[in-house]
Amino acid sequence: MLLFSDKKSDFLIPDYQRPYAWEEGQCQTLWDDIFTFAFPDNNYEKFDKNEEYFLGSIVTFENENNKKEVIDGQQRLTTLMLLLRAFYAKFGNMQDENSKSTRERIAQCLWKTNEFGQADLNVLKIDSEVATDNDKDEFLEILRTGVVTKDQKSNYAKNYIFFQQKIDEFLSEFPSYFAYLPARILGNCILLPIEAESQDTALRIFSTLNDRGLPLSDADIFKAQFYKHYGAKNQKDIFIEKWKELEEISSRIFKPINGTPMDELFTRYMYYVRAKQGIKSSTTEALRKFYEKGKYSILKQDETLPNLKTLVDFWNDVYSQNSERFSPKVLRKLFILNYAPNGMWTYFLSVYFLHNRDEKDLLDETNLIKFLDKIIGFVWGFSFTNPGVNALRTPVYAEMIHVVSDKAVNFEDHKFDENTFKTAINNFEFKNGRPITRSMLTWWAFNSELQSLPNLNTAFDIEHIFARKRQENDKSLSNSKNLEALGNKVLLEDKINIRASDYRFSDKIKYYQGFTNDKGQHKAGTIISELIDLSNSKSDFIEQDIINRTDIIITSFIEYLRENELIK
């Protein structure tokens, strides 16, 4: 194992890495794989000296202190060190030449050596600074002494004991060939070293290669910087407790497509800091690039960690629909926004909240409702005139700065021309796959105060009131495009939609309203009040109904834009 025996090897598991997490099952798999390779069919003579067993790669970069910071392979590297240390301890009293030679080779992997290849048992080849690993000292102590004490209960201790037991079993079964196993591990098991020029390069290599472990997130890097900052203030334990709370809440409420839940929290906070700094550029820096400026100066501000906690609590209340924090009117607006065509509103609302909260972290309801209506109207409307989230950045970033400057949010330079907007929305094809289709249907259903508000986890499908199957069978629509018109679509709970999707309107009525089947089981109807009203007032839903309803929805939305002063 040349990577370990290299005199220049000086590994550092950096502070931003995750704690050691391998458990006995993973160690068992490693042991079985190595044993099967070294002793095919339990026969040491079948071993092919020219064969090599690939244990994986170790991605590192040399830091400013000339240590190899481990970006990928930390768990594997740590486990192999424990395995080798267990072998070294077992060879302690063996005096035959093979055993003595193997023990010396293992020593060169664990400790630094002098120019004659002799190990200095006081200087390990590996060190750990993992910020949130309270057991890292146990790991280093086990490597130094080869002993696990009764009070050591970490994964390091458990895995070291596991390897000791496996080695004892191996020695009792194959006493004559004992030295061959570690010798073959050292000589024929390969750890591929990949040494990058910088941390950035190492992280990119890790992301490209890794398909098993969890890649280091930006939040892992930030955690290390916080740890250093609070460590200098003798508040490490306080920080770790607060960080774990942030992780717990974030992992529960944030489900980002890219990055981790904690990355998402830092992203939402980044937009607040950007706005305060007056940055309105539509080009958004990568998260870590933003925070690493000034040697992570933002993270060293005493207000940052409390602000993150306040922000995550706010979003926790948004997603749990906390009625103690928010009124029914506000919860209605927030529900609609959860069906926005893109996630820009979450950043905008984060900026608004952090700047406008009072001493109890609450917002003025009147102003909040006005702000939420502005967001809904503008984000929805912009999807018709300037589709895509990238186009939305320019107007929204500018308004974020207005928020932190105590100026009114009015989108003055981007208001909609009524005629242009009417043309755009009337010509728009409301295909189910387009996010704005669901957004418009949600706005239409839930903007009404008569509509009850479901849990955010309620699953809705898009229902064709005039069924597709009906058009296939009787071709009764003179214009087939009306089948996909906005006026023919409505949100409907997915379980009901499965039953109702292919029926004629007269047959759908009982599914919309709910019914009791032949077995006496009650099947609940929809909560969508408009569908209930339609099923009570109509026996059929025909093409003219589609046309009329489309016109009503579009006209109502344009009026909504006008009410919120978003039309020129």
Side-chain angles (χ1 to χ4, degrees), residues 324-336:
E324 294 184 6
R325 183 194 280 259
F326 303 117
S327 71
K329 283 187 176 181
V330 171
L331 288 174
R332 185 173 301 282
K333 308 296 181 186
L334 292 172
F335 184 91
I336 293 170

Side-chain angles (χ1 to χ4, degrees), residues 528-544:
I528 302 299
S529 59
E530 184 191 14
L531 272 180
I532 299 296
D533 292 342
L534 283 174
S535 65
N536 283 328
S537 61
K538 289 181 175 293
S539 59
D540 199 2
F541 190 81
I542 60 175
E543 187 164 19
Q544 190 58 47

Side-chain angles (χ1 to χ4, degrees), residues 206-221:
F206 178 32
S207 298
T208 302
L209 291 178
N210 197 282
D211 61 356
R212 287 174 292 179
L214 291 173
L216 281 169
S217 66
D218 289 332
D220 288 318
I221 307 295

Side-chain angles (χ1 to χ4, degrees), residues 354-504:
L354 286 171
H355 182 73
N356 289 289
R357 60 192 166 124
D358 62 19
E359 64 278 0
K360 294 182 180 179
D361 293 327
L362 300 176
L363 294 169
D364 177 81
E365 180 176 333
T366 301
N367 290 333
L368 176 58
I369 289 174
K370 184 177 180 181
F371 175 73
L372 295 178
D373 275 327
K374 288 272 191 182
I375 297 178
I376 294 169
F378 188 79
V379 172
W380 267 239
F382 217 64
S383 293
F384 295 108
T385 61
N386 301 77
V389 69
N390 290 338
L392 195 58
R393 290 175 177 174
T394 297
V396 171
Y397 289 177
E399 295 299 330
M400 286 178 178
I401 296 175
H402 284 173
V403 167
V404 299
S405 303
D406 294 319
K407 296 179 181 178
V409 172
N410 53 29
F411 296 101
E412 189 61 42
D413 296 331
H414 299 276
K415 291 185 177 182
F416 304 108
D417 175 79
E418 186 166 347
N419 291 329
T420 303
F421 185 81
K422 280 182 179 179
T423 300
I425 195 169
N426 281 313
N427 291 333
F428 192 83
E429 295 183 11
F430 286 93
K431 297 178 180 178
N432 284 9
R434 290 180 168 177
I436 190 59
T437 300
R438 185 179 293 268
S439 303
M440 282 295 294
L441 295 175
T442 304
W443 172 82
W444 176 243
F446 291 96
N447 199 44
S448 168
E449 293 186 4
L450 299 176
Q451 172 63 57
S452 62
L453 208 60
N455 187 286
L456 278 177
N457 294 324
T458 303
F460 288 100
D461 283 336
I462 296 177
E463 159 82 343
H464 289 72
I465 306 173
F466 187 104
R468 289 172 171 173
K469 203 70 173 178
R470 179 178 174 182
Q471 176 64 7
E472 288 179 19
N473 292 336
D474 59 26
K475 305 289 193 298
S476 57
L477 295 180
S478 62
N479 182 355
S480 60
K481 289 186 177 180
N482 282 326
L483 189 66
E484 299 301 328
L486 191 60
N488 190 40
K489 297 185 177 184
V490 66
L491 292 186
L492 180 65
E493 295 87 339
D494 61 352
K495 291 182 180 179
I496 301 174
N497 187 48
I498 291 170
R499 298 195 301 269
S501 60
D502 293 337
Y503 290 83
R504 290 180 176 273

Side-chain angles (χ1 to χ4, degrees), residues 48-286:
D48 185 345
K49 296 178 181 179
N50 296 316
E51 285 290 323
E52 293 178 336
Y53 183 74
F54 180 59
L55 289 170
S57 59
I58 302 291
V59 180
T60 65
F61 76 95
E62 190 169 301
N63 67 17
E64 58 189 11
N65 296 318
N66 300 318
K67 290 182 177 289
K68 297 180 186 295
E69 283 197 25
V70 181
I71 296 295
D72 181 26
Q74 164 213 356
Q75 306 282 333
R76 190 162 47 247
L77 177 65
T78 301
T79 304
L80 288 169
M81 284 286 200
L82 292 170
L83 173 61
L84 291 176
R85 188 61 180 86
F87 269 117
Y88 183 84
K90 201 63 183 178
F91 279 115
N93 298 318
M94 297 181 183
Q95 298 301 316
D96 63 281
E97 290 303 315
N98 285 342
S99 297
K100 288 168 65 177
S101 173
T102 303
R103 179 178 165 88
E104 289 176 6
R105 291 174 64 193
I106 294 174
Q108 292 172 358
C109 294
L110 297 172
W111 292 280
K112 291 186 179 180
T113 57
N114 61 23
E115 56 188 304
F116 300 107
Q118 298 169 327
D120 182 347
L121 303 187
N122 294 314
V123 187
L124 290 167
K125 280 191 171 181
I126 191 169
D127 192 11
S128 175
E129 294 180 350
V130 179
T132 52
D133 188 352
N134 297 326
D135 301 318
K136 57 181 177 286
D137 291 337
E138 277 191 22
F139 169 55
L140 301 176
E141 189 63 21
I142 290 170
L143 291 186
R144 291 189 189 98
T145 65
V147 175
V148 171
T149 61
K150 291 182 179 179
D151 60 335
Q152 292 178 332
K153 306 295 182 183
S154 67
N155 279 350
Y156 300 113
K158 292 176 184 177
N159 292 345
Y160 183 73
I161 292 172
F162 169 81
F163 286 131
Q164 285 183 311
Q165 292 170 345
K166 301 304 291 186
I167 290 170
D168 285 340
E169 293 171 8
F170 174 67
L171 180 58
S172 65
E173 190 171 352
F174 303 98
S176 301
Y177 310 128
F178 177 69
Y180 285 93
L181 180 55
R184 288 170 181 178
I185 293 174
L186 293 169
N188 295 77
C189 289
I190 304 300
L191 270 174
L192 177 65
I194 302 176
E195 190 165 334
E197 294 181 355
S198 66
Q199 185 187 68
D200 280 343
T201 304
L203 286 167
R204 282 198 297 273
I205 292 171
F206 178 32
S207 298
T208 302
L209 291 178
N210 197 282
D211 61 356
R212 287 174 292 179
L214 291 173
L216 281 169
S217 66
D218 289 332
D220 288 318
I221 307 295
F222 303 156
K223 175 179 64 178
Q225 296 300 323
F226 274 124
Y227 187 78
K228 290 177 182 177
H229 174 66
Y230 284 95
K233 300 168 68 173
N234 294 318
Q235 295 178 3
K236 288 182 179 179
D237 292 340
I238 295 174
F239 161 70
I240 293 300
E241 182 179 348
K242 290 181 178 179
W243 183 268
K244 287 180 178 178
E245 189 175 6
L246 288 179
E247 282 189 319
E248 188 277 323
I249 300 174
S250 295
S251 63
R252 178 158 37 85
I253 65 175
F254 296 136
K255 309 297 178 185
I257 297 174
N258 298 310
T260 68
M262 283 293 284
D263 287 348
E264 179 64 20
L265 176 60
F266 276 97
T267 299
R268 296 189 186 195
Y269 187 67
M270 176 185 73
Y271 283 94
Y272 171 64
V273 179
R274 282 179 99 250
K276 288 181 67 177
Q277 293 177 349
I279 301 172
K280 61 180 180 180
S281 168
S282 61
T283 301
T284 308
E285 289 177 286

